[in-house]
Amino acid sequence: MTAMIADSAYFGVAISLLSYGIGWLLHKKTGVAAFNPLLISIALTIPALLALRIDYEIYYSGAQYLGWLLTPATVCLAVPLYEKLSLLKSDWRAITAGIVSGVLSSLLCVLLLAAVFGIGHTAYVTFLPKSVTTAIGIGVSQELGGLVNLTAAVIIITGVLGNVFAPLICRVFRITEPVARGIAIGTASHAVGTAKAMEMGETEGAMSSLSIAVSGLLTVIGASVFAQFY
């Protein structure tokens, strides 16, 4: 069985799409935030690989084709932003300040946690791009000498947590302004969080989409600077 799967170029794609589809159905039927499709996909794929004794390299040889869609999918997020272009023009100062604050907060948190827990430089730079989309974060981690696979995992976890807890956090802190909610979600939890922002409203989705691109560019610069601090 393992040999047959190893020879298949479609196994990684098939199990990824199947597990994600199950997660999507669970989320649609229950509406429970914890049943995030990506989270369910991870929870189903890992045990399946362990049960079938499939190495990650074999799985990734097929699943990597899905990764090629990340960049064009991220670019497509510009559509809701274009529809809210007038809002961007009128509130650009507040939007810029919000994104810059979010990026600096993310980088500072990693720096402080690294100092508190005494992790090495390699692990430190691995975590620096945790809040940007995978397509950007992996490149940043690789350039700084981080562990690329761990960076990808941290980015996914960050996005899933943002997707699950963003509505709750907004309620707890009484954040009701759509622009503020969108900027916060997009800056902190990239594309996965943006999916939740789009569910919350058109303005939230547009501002979150903008934050992905701008925070990604700022993180490329900021991570290179912060990498020298530890």
Side-chain angles (χ1 to χ4, degrees), residues 197-216:
M198 289 181 171
E199 293 178 10
M200 296 169 70
E202 292 183 2
T203 301
E204 286 91 335
M207 293 301 103
S208 188
S209 300
L210 171 66
S211 300
I212 293 175
V214 179
S215 64

Side-chain angles (χ1 to χ4, degrees), residues 148-222:
V148 175
N149 289 338
L150 181 56
T151 297
V154 170
I155 290 173
I156 291 172
I157 292 171
T158 302
V160 171
L161 291 176
N163 185 290
V164 172
F165 292 107
L168 175 62
I169 292 174
C170 288
R171 287 197 299 270
V172 170
F173 291 96
R174 298 180 181 179
I175 304 173
T176 58
E177 172 58 43
V179 173
R181 297 202 296 183
I183 293 297
I185 294 171
T187 304
S189 51
H190 54 85
V192 181
T194 299
K196 176 58 68 176
M198 289 181 171
E199 293 178 10
M200 296 169 70
E202 292 183 2
T203 301
E204 286 91 335
M207 293 301 103
S208 188
S209 300
L210 171 66
S211 300
I212 293 175
V214 179
S215 64
L217 293 174
L218 292 177
T219 300
V220 170
I221 301 171

Side-chain angles (χ1 to χ4, degrees), residues 2-228:
T2 302
M4 182 178 68
I5 292 174
D7 292 334
S8 173
Y10 306 105
F11 171 74
V13 173
I15 193 171
S16 298
L17 293 178
L18 178 61
S19 57
Y20 186 88
I22 293 173
W24 181 80
L25 288 174
L26 284 173
H27 181 71
K28 183 179 180 180
K29 292 291 184 180
T30 63
V32 178
F35 287 159
N36 179 275
L38 186 58
L39 182 60
I40 297 298
S41 177
I42 295 172
L44 293 177
T45 300
I46 293 177
L49 296 179
L50 292 174
L52 295 172
R53 298 182 180 179
I54 302 298
D55 291 336
Y56 174 77
E57 289 75 15
I58 295 175
Y59 161 76
Y60 184 71
S61 64
Q64 63 178 332
Y65 301 114
L66 291 175
W68 295 351
L69 301 175
L70 283 174
T71 301
T74 303
V75 173
C76 288
L77 292 174
V79 175
L81 174 60
Y82 176 77
E83 295 175 347
K84 296 291 182 179
L85 197 57
S86 59
L87 184 61
L88 172 61
K89 292 179 179 179
S90 62
D91 294 335
W92 68 270
R93 292 182 181 84
I95 292 171
T96 301
I99 297 175
V100 171
S101 299
V103 172
L104 288 177
S105 296
S106 175
L107 296 173
L108 282 170
C109 283
V110 175
L111 177 60
L112 291 175
L113 289 174
V116 170
F117 291 101
I119 64 176
H121 178 77
T122 299
Y124 168 63
V125 297
T126 296
F127 294 135
L128 278 177
K130 66 177 180 60
S131 292
V132 298
T133 186
T134 309
I136 298 175
I138 288 178
V140 172
S141 177
Q142 189 172 26
E143 184 69 23
L144 297 177
L147 305 174
V148 175
N149 289 338
L150 181 56
T151 297
V154 170
I155 290 173
I156 291 172
I157 292 171
T158 302
V160 171
L161 291 176
N163 185 290
V164 172
F165 292 107
L168 175 62
I169 292 174
C170 288
R171 287 197 299 270
V172 170
F173 291 96
R174 298 180 181 179
I175 304 173
T176 58
E177 172 58 43
V179 173
R181 297 202 296 183
I183 293 297
I185 294 171
T187 304
S189 51
H190 54 85
V192 181
T194 299
K196 176 58 68 176
M198 289 181 171
E199 293 178 10
M200 296 169 70
E202 292 183 2
T203 301
E204 286 91 335
M207 293 301 103
S208 188
S209 300
L210 171 66
S211 300
I212 293 175
V214 179
S215 64
L217 293 174
L218 292 177
T219 300
V220 170
I221 301 171
S224 299
V225 175
F226 272 73
Q228 312 303 316

